[in-house]
Amino acid sequence: MFSSYSNLSELSRTAGMNRFSALQSTPLPQPSSTPPQNPDYDSRRTLGSSRNNSVRERSEKPLISAQPSSRPGPFVRGSSSKELLETPNPEELRRDREREGAEPRRPSVAEEKAEPERSKVREPVKPEPVLQKPDRPARTEEEIKMKSKSIIDEFLHINDYKEAIQCVDELDLGPQLHIFVRIGVESTLERSQITRDHMGQLLFQLVKQEILPKAQLYRGFADTLELADDMAIDIPHIWLYLAELLSPLLKDGCFSMRELFSELSKPLLPVGRAGILISEILHLLCKQMSHRNVGSLWRECGLNWADLLAEGEDVQAFISQQKFQFLQPEGSEEVQTKRILSPEELSQNIEKLLLEDMASDEQIFDWVEANLNESQASSSPFLRALMTAVCKAAVKDENPSCRVDTAIIQKRLPVLLKYLNSDTERQLQALYALQALIVSLDQPPNLLRMFFDCLYDEDVISEDAFYKWETSKDPAEQDGKGVALKSVTAFFTWLREAEEESEDN
């Protein structure tokens, strides 16, 4: 058994030696700069070569060039470091082969992947397109109505024209501004006269500052004018109320009378109501300026009543009914010399009209037109006489329980506003007259303060006029001034605080 094991070991050693000898006798392949012609051998030697290249391309291409990737290619025995460094890159080889007319080599998979990356580097960076903001969707009419009513209500509460104009401008309604106008007309049509006047003034300012186009203004009024004849059943004085909204537009030449009346007539001519609205506007203008000036404006505009009245209506009967004879062309103007009335005569005539005759505003205007020239109608004696008569009529009860009947002041607002004409100097003369009246009544407690409150609230006297009266040192106006100032200290304190609060807001 032992001998058998020895024989087996001997045989195993003999076989191993024979295999070792065979391996030693087999010659190793020598390195060569030319790649072998056998394609199978080439694929085994070159790890990075493309499997899709033709036999011809492999036989002609140096072995090291088969690796286009940025990673180092497989090490080829027998190649020196100099040969590896001098090996051209694939792009240069491709261009050389194309110049020699050789068949272009199909790029390897690695080259195909690398090519887009190189293209990205070479291409200039294109600027990103600027994204345009989408147009704001048009507001619904209900939304515009809500925002417009909010602005109008706030304006009518605080009477801040600057803020209201800014709010309308920021609302940016564009071609939908006529809705704001319509809401303004509807919101004030059945409210007080002063409210309609403020709304008309706001519309005038919006047009003057080129925020509200005239076409949008006319369209906004047309929406109401088209229904006005039917609305007159429930609002009998609708034509007067519309005139109060429209008359402020004729201030400062922003609108010509011809332009305004022609546009307003368009929706009213089919129903024969244009003449009614225009006559109401003319009557209001006569309260703000002389009949002579209104007549001149009418004649300059070149309009004819026959074109404004309903078909078949008697023009002369309408003119007589409306007392528009002063609008007629003057055949021959006669210079009338009017006697200058003394301050005492002015006071007597004005007090008779207001306190005894209880004359209407129209009657007062007619008397002034007939008896005073323009210079007298704006003089200090006339303004003082007018203010004294109006305020005397408003004092109720006796000292020391005197009070102010604000309804009397409100009733005479058209007269006061026409002749004071928003002029600070004229308003100052009115305050001097009021001071003298209070002194003549033995300065009842708080009476001057009540007048100041009313005149300020009704926009008869401005802040500037009040401050001028407070600081005035005119020697002719010092009678009772000290007591008067003490009685209205609280008024001026409130006025300054309100002004500061308004500026802060």
Side-chain angles (χ1 to χ4, degrees):
M1 181 176 181
F2 177 76
S3 60
S4 300
Y5 176 77
S6 301
N7 292 334
L8 288 171
S9 298
E10 185 66 24
L11 289 172
S12 176
R13 283 195 301 272
T14 304
M17 291 296 293
N18 291 336
R19 283 195 302 274
F20 178 75
S21 299
L23 287 170
Q24 281 185 325
S25 63
T26 304
L28 291 172
Q30 297 300 318
S32 173
S33 61
T34 303
Q37 299 298 318
N38 187 347
D40 293 334
Y41 178 81
D42 186 22
S43 65
R44 286 195 302 268
R45 291 287 303 225
T46 309
L47 296 178
S49 298
S50 172
R51 297 178 181 273
N52 299 325
N53 291 343
S54 65
V55 174
R56 176 183 173 185
E57 286 174 337
R58 285 197 298 270
S59 63
E60 294 177 357
K61 182 174 176 62
L63 184 63
I64 192 67
S65 67
Q67 179 68 352
S69 113
S70 60
R71 248 172 37 188
F75 181 75
V76 181
R77 287 192 194 135
S79 299
S80 66
S81 60
K82 181 178 179 181
E83 290 173 330
L84 291 173
L85 290 171
E86 292 177 352
T87 303
N89 62 39
E91 185 65 19
E92 291 175 350
L93 288 173
R94 182 183 65 78
R95 287 198 295 267
D96 291 341
R97 291 181 63 83
E98 288 176 354
R99 283 195 296 269
E100 294 171 2
E103 181 182 351
R105 182 178 66 83
R106 182 178 180 182
S108 65
V109 174
E111 286 174 319
E112 287 177 349
K113 291 181 178 179
E115 184 62 29
E117 298 298 327
R118 287 193 294 270
S119 299
K120 288 181 181 178
V121 176
R122 293 191 190 102
E123 290 180 358
V125 178
K126 295 180 179 179
E128 295 184 1
V130 178
L131 296 177
Q132 296 182 350
K133 294 182 179 180
D135 293 337
R136 183 181 62 193
R139 295 187 179 98
T140 64
E141 184 166 337
E142 286 302 317
E143 183 182 359
I144 296 173
K145 284 182 181 179
M146 182 179 66
K147 290 182 179 294
S148 299
K149 196 169 189 315
S150 175
I151 294 172
I152 292 166
D153 289 345
E154 181 71 13
F155 163 70
L156 295 176
H157 179 65
I158 63 176
N159 293 330
D160 190 331
Y161 286 90
K162 183 178 179 181
E163 181 181 349
I165 290 168
Q166 182 179 350
C167 288
V168 175
D169 192 21
E170 292 174 353
L171 198 56
D172 193 21
L173 292 180
Q176 296 174 301
L177 263 170
H178 65 95
I179 300 176
F180 174 85
V181 177
R182 190 181 79 225
I183 298 303
V185 174
E186 293 174 353
S187 299
T188 57
L189 198 57
E190 296 185 77
R191 297 175 71 170
S192 67
Q193 179 270 331
I194 194 68
T195 300
R196 288 186 289 275
D197 181 69
H198 286 162
M199 190 66 216
Q201 297 280 1
L202 176 60
L203 295 175
F204 166 75
Q205 291 295 334
L206 288 170
V207 174
K208 186 177 181 181
Q209 298 188 28
E210 299 183 351
I211 295 172
L212 173 62
K214 290 183 180 180
Q216 292 292 310
L217 174 83
Y218 296 139
R219 183 177 174 185
F221 269 98
D223 294 338
T224 303
L225 292 176
E226 290 172 354
L227 305 173
D229 200 33
D230 295 330
M231 296 169 67
I233 298 172
D234 298 319
I235 312 174
H237 299 294
I238 188 169
W239 303 111
L240 171 61
Y241 298 160
L242 287 169
E244 289 171 345
L245 283 162
L246 288 161
S247 60
L249 299 177
L250 289 170
K251 291 175 56 179
D252 299 337
C254 186
F255 287 80
S256 71
M257 186 177 283
R258 182 180 183 86
E259 175 191 5
L260 183 64
F261 287 175
S262 298
E263 290 294 334
L264 295 175
S265 298
K266 290 179 181 178
L268 295 176
L269 286 173
V271 292
R273 291 292 182 265
I276 296 177
L277 176 61
I278 291 173
S279 65
E280 292 289 359
I281 295 175
L282 290 173
H283 285 305
L284 289 176
L285 290 177
C286 288
K287 296 179 180 180
Q288 300 166 17
M289 60 182 76
S290 67
H291 287 64
R292 187 181 297 107
N293 288 342
V294 175
S296 297
L297 290 173
W298 173 258
R299 288 188 291 273
E300 287 172 5
C301 78
L303 293 176
N304 194 321
W305 284 114
D307 299 328
L308 301 173
L309 300 178
E311 186 176 355
E313 188 171 354
D314 189 333
V315 174
Q316 292 303 320
F318 177 83
I319 291 174
S320 298
Q321 180 186 0
Q322 298 292 333
K323 298 181 180 179
F324 280 160
Q325 288 83 356
F326 66 93
L327 299 178
Q328 295 295 91
E330 298 177 355
S332 60
E333 297 186 3
E334 296 181 0
V335 179
Q336 298 180 356
T337 304
K338 297 178 180 178
R339 186 173 66 87
I340 303 298
L341 301 179
S342 67
E344 292 76 15
E345 289 177 312
L346 284 171
S347 295
Q348 291 171 3
N349 283 281
I350 297 297
E351 287 193 10
K352 182 178 184 299
L353 285 169
L354 272 71
L355 302 177
E356 297 178 20
D357 299 343
M358 303 299 292
S360 66
D361 294 343
E362 288 289 342
Q363 289 172 323
I364 295 172
F365 298 145
D366 290 341
W367 182 89
V368 172
E369 184 78 16
N371 294 278
L372 305 180
N373 58 32
E374 290 189 18
S375 177
Q376 272 193 297
S378 60
S379 65
S380 296
F382 168 72
L383 295 173
R384 291 189 181 213
L386 178 64
M387 186 69 171
T388 301
V390 172
C391 292
K392 188 181 287 189
V395 175
K396 299 300 178 184
D397 300 331
E398 296 181 357
N399 195 0
S401 302
C402 291
R403 62 182 180 85
V404 176
D405 186 350
T406 57
I408 300 294
I409 302 292
Q410 292 169 347
K411 179 182 177 182
R412 295 303 185 184
L413 280 177
V415 176
L416 292 173
L417 292 173
K418 175 176 180 176
Y419 294 113
L420 294 179
N421 197 30
S422 301
D423 185 279
T424 303
E425 290 301 323
R426 294 188 185 189
Q427 292 171 359
L428 180 60
Q429 295 300 318
L431 289 176
Y432 286 149
L434 178 57
Q435 174 188 328
L437 174 64
I438 299 298
V439 171
S440 69
L441 296 173
D442 293 331
Q443 296 183 324
N446 296 321
L447 186 62
L448 185 61
R449 168 64 193 270
M450 287 185 278
F451 270 117
F452 274 25
D453 287 338
C454 180
L455 295 171
Y456 178 81
D457 291 341
E458 300 298 339
D459 290 331
V460 176
I461 307 295
S462 66
E463 292 95 333
D464 290 342
F466 278 119
Y467 289 137
K468 273 197 169 187
W469 175 86
E470 181 190 25
T471 58
S472 171
K473 304 297 182 184
D474 188 342
E477 309 299 340
Q478 295 306 307
D479 186 19
K481 180 69 178 288
V483 176
L485 278 173
K486 288 181 181 178
S487 69
V488 291
T489 300
F491 171 81
F492 282 104
T493 300
W494 169 83
L495 192 62
R496 288 186 174 88
E497 289 177 352
E499 188 175 5
E500 290 172 2
E501 183 179 350
S502 177
E503 289 175 357
D504 291 341
N505 290 337

